[in-house]
């Protein structure tokens, strides 16, 4: 049970006496938004008071990286739904300039400790770095769009919790970027990674910690007058279809307090089959907690919405979208009890996007996405090797000469 922050959660100002709030800029593609993106935005918001996020167009992404999975309109709405975001700028330029920061009165921009390159291999943050208006946050280990795409294409279950990695998944790591072997991700320039692989495009194992949950879930208990609404499901690859549904549920009450029940991986696999869920329960927990419409998450919620659950959380309303409700193991309706109490309400979000349809998009464009990743990694590797050469030259220059030793 994890309580979440309210919509538009904010951090305290670093200097209460400041004349104006510190305005922070982030930008990116935010394609297939996952908890790694959310964690970057959480860290960025904590560096100031007001976070503005620029989102690139489909055209810009296609030019510099390759085709995005989601349309720009879908990506704009996904970023808006992240609770640490105060404002978005649609169609932000791919290269971050001082002109952009000044236009939106931002003090500095924040990016993860990886590198973003233009189509011709230039650092997109070079100008703001040189001007001292750049801050860095830690990249979230264990997740990347590359990894998620690979899980979909492979259709293995190695990513589920409590399941050992298999040979297919190991091959996937080789094809989509190997696990970095260095110990210090903060300064990869002075350490050597696997030959022929970029340190920024890789796959590594996600390890859930209590600290990470606390960072995402600092929230409030239900208040008098709140309408407690319960929804349950997999919420796999948390996407715009989920956001539209939760937004619609949020509008059902004046003071909504939405509790999301997340099913365990093995439970989801029983009713979804194949290699679902694509994200394991720990990853899905963070993805859902980052949404501004969610107040609390129950990890490993029972499939059937029982009387005990409804009484424990004092639930006023139970909602489900328009997707098929699969009967429980004994053939019963998992929503039988809320229906008996007259508190069950179907909700039509108006969006028919499902996790299945996202996987179909990926598989349909498999070759394009694999080519995109290889192109991205080749550019990153060239920059990484140049950084290593510069570092080695600096270290060489710092060493005393042989003559100094002999004198």
């Amino acid at each position: 049970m994890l309580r979440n922050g309210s919509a538009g959660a904010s951090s305290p100002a670093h200097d209460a006496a400041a004349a104006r709030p510190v305005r922070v800029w982030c930008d990116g593609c935010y394609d297939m938004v996952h908890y790694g993106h959310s964690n970057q935005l959480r860290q960025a918001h904590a560096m100031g008071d007001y976070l503005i996020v620029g989102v690139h167009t489909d055209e810009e992404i296609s030019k510099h990286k390759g085709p995005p999975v989601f349309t720009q309109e879908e990506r704009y709405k996904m970023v808006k739904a992240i609770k640490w975001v105060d404002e978005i700028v649609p169609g932000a330029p791919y290269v971050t300039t001082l002109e952009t920061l000044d236009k939106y009165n931002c003090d500095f921009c924040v990016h993860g400790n990886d590198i973003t390159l233009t189509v011709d291999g230039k650092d997109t943050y070079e100008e703001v770095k040189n001007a001292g208006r750049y801050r860095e946050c830690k990249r979230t280990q264990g997740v990347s769009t590359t990894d998620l795409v690979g899980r979909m294409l492979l259709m293995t279950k190695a990513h589920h919790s409590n399941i050992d990695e298999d040979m297919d998944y190991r091959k996937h790591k080789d094809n989509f970027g190997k696990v970095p072997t260095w110990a210090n991700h903060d300064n990869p320039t002075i350490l050597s990674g696997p030959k022929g692989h970029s340190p920024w495009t890789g796959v590594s194992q996600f390890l859930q910690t209590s600290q990470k949950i606390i960072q995402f879930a600092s929230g409030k208990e239900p208040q008098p007058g709140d309408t407690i609404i319960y929804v349950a499901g997999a919420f796999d690859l948390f996407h715009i279809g989920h956001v539209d549904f939760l937004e619609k549920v949020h509008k059902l009450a004046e003071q909504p307090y939405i509790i999301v029940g997340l099913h365990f991986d093995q439970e989801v696999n029983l009713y979804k089959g194949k290699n679902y869920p694509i994200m394991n329960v720990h990853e899905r927990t963070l993805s859902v907690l980052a949404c501004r419409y969610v107040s609390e998450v129950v990890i490993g919620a029972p499939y059937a919405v029982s009387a005990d659950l409804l009484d424990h959380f004092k639930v006023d309303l139970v909602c489900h979208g328009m997707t098929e409700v699969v009967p429980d193991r004994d053939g019963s309706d998992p929503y039988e009890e809320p229906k008996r109490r007259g508190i069950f309400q179907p909700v039509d979000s108006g969006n028919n996007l499902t996790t299945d349809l996202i996987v179909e998009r990926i598989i349909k464009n498999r070759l394009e996405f694999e080519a995109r990743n290889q192109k991205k990694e080749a550019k990153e590797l060239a920059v990484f090797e140049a950084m290593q050469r510069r570092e080695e030259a600096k270290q060489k220059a710092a060493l005393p000469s042989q003559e100094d030793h002999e004198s």
Side-chain angles (χ1 to χ4, degrees):
M1 187 175 79
L2 299 171
R3 293 187 181 91
N4 204 358
S6 58
S10 61
S11 66
H14 289 288
D15 184 358
R20 66 171 183 83
V22 175
R23 291 166 68 89
V24 181
W25 173 271
C26 279
D27 54 30
C29 305
Y30 300 102
D31 193 22
M32 283 186 62
V33 170
H34 50 66
Y35 60 91
H37 295 119
S38 301
N39 193 37
Q40 180 225 359
L41 297 174
R42 178 192 66 79
Q43 292 177 79
H45 193 282
M47 294 181 191
D49 305 283
Y50 191 86
L51 177 62
I52 301 175
V53 181
V55 185
H56 309 318
T57 62
D58 296 345
E59 185 182 357
E60 281 280 271
I61 297 171
S62 295
K63 176 184 170 185
H64 293 281
K65 288 178 75 172
V69 178
F70 289 94
T71 68
Q72 58 199 42
E73 294 304 324
E74 289 172 327
R75 292 183 291 105
Y76 298 157
K77 193 159 190 179
M78 276 302 295
V79 174
K80 271 185 186 176
I82 295 172
K83 65 182 179 180
W84 296 286
V85 176
D86 296 299
E87 182 182 334
I88 74 153
V89 174
Y94 200 80
V95 175
T96 309
T97 62
L98 294 173
E99 183 184 354
T100 298
L101 296 189
D102 292 340
K103 181 179 178 180
Y104 295 99
N105 298 314
C106 290
D107 297 84
F108 53 84
C109 80
V110 176
H111 187 65
N113 56 345
D114 53 349
I115 194 163
T116 303
L117 303 170
T118 62
V119 67
D120 51 1
K122 292 180 180 173
D123 183 352
T124 59
Y125 295 98
E126 186 175 359
E127 183 177 319
V128 291
K129 283 178 179 177
N130 292 340
R133 291 173 68 180
Y134 175 85
R135 305 285 185 276
E136 208 163 74
C137 62
K138 287 189 177 180
R139 183 178 180 273
T140 306
Q141 295 304 313
V143 66
S144 69
T145 303
T146 301
D147 183 25
L148 296 176
V149 169
R151 294 182 197 180
M152 290 179 234
L153 295 177
L154 276 169
M155 303 306 279
T156 66
K157 300 179 188 177
H159 54 278
H160 291 181
S161 57
N162 304 320
I163 292 182
D164 290 333
E165 188 177 287
D166 64 14
M167 286 307 296
D168 282 342
Y169 200 61
R170 286 177 193 162
K171 285 177 191 171
H172 151 56
K173 287 182 177 179
D174 289 337
N175 294 335
F176 279 78
K178 289 186 178 175
V179 182
T181 55
W182 40 78
N184 184 1
H185 289 275
D186 297 332
N187 191 3
T189 60
I190 59 171
L191 297 160
S192 59
K195 188 177 179 183
H197 287 275
S198 161
W200 303 294
T201 299
V203 180
S204 56
Q205 187 182 9
F206 170 70
L207 298 173
Q208 183 71 284
T209 64
S210 58
Q211 184 61 34
K212 186 62 64 193
I213 291 173
I214 290 165
Q215 288 169 346
F216 271 60
S218 54
K220 300 173 183 176
E221 295 192 11
Q223 300 301 305
D226 283 356
T227 300
I228 299 174
I229 306 173
Y230 181 78
V231 301
F235 290 88
D236 192 18
L237 284 180
F238 193 75
H239 54 71
I240 191 65
H242 297 131
V243 168
D244 283 342
F245 167 70
L246 290 169
E247 184 182 21
K248 206 78 177 277
V249 170
H250 196 268
K251 289 176 179 176
L252 292 176
E254 243 179 79
Q255 290 178 232
Y257 187 91
I258 299 175
I259 300 173
V260 175
L262 287 180
H263 301 144
F264 278 132
D265 299 342
Q266 287 73 16
E267 188 79 56
V268 175
N269 190 249
L270 277 175
Y271 64 81
K272 288 282 288 179
K274 298 179 184 175
N275 72 330
Y276 292 114
I278 303 297
M279 282 183 157
N280 68 46
V281 69
H282 305 301
E283 297 172 309
R284 291 184 282 122
T285 297
L286 296 185
S287 296
V288 172
L289 281 172
C291 179
R292 66 174 66 247
Y293 304 118
V294 176
S295 304
E296 188 169 14
V297 167
V298 180
I299 304 172
Y303 187 66
V305 183
S306 65
D308 285 347
L309 185 147
L310 296 174
D311 294 341
H312 179 81
F313 292 110
K314 299 180 172 59
V315 175
D316 299 303
L317 190 63
V318 176
C319 295
H320 183 77
M322 306 312 288
T323 55
E324 179 193 3
V325 176
V326 177
D328 205 350
R329 289 178 179 86
D330 60 2
S332 63
D333 180 354
Y335 291 101
E336 185 179 335
E337 181 60 23
K339 285 177 180 177
R340 189 188 67 77
R341 297 187 184 197
I343 60 170
F344 179 78
Q345 184 170 335
V347 172
D348 186 353
S349 67
N351 188 331
N352 65 356
L353 185 67
T354 63
T355 304
D356 288 313
L357 291 174
I358 294 170
V359 173
E360 280 179 28
R361 286 187 192 185
I362 297 289
I363 292 173
K364 185 181 173 185
N365 298 294
R366 173 176 184 153
L367 293 177
E368 279 186 282
F369 289 120
E370 287 182 348
R372 179 179 81 172
N373 183 67
Q374 287 163 7
K375 179 179 165 188
K376 175 176 178 278
E377 188 168 15
K379 283 195 298 182
E380 289 176 353
L381 184 59
V383 171
F384 175 71
E385 288 172 345
M387 290 164 74
Q388 278 191 314
R389 285 194 295 272
R390 280 201 300 271
E391 188 64 34
E392 286 166 5
K394 274 186 353 193
Q395 289 177 353
K396 210 171 188 179
L399 289 171
S401 64
Q402 187 66 30
E403 288 78 17
D404 292 336
H405 282 300
E406 292 171 354
S407 58

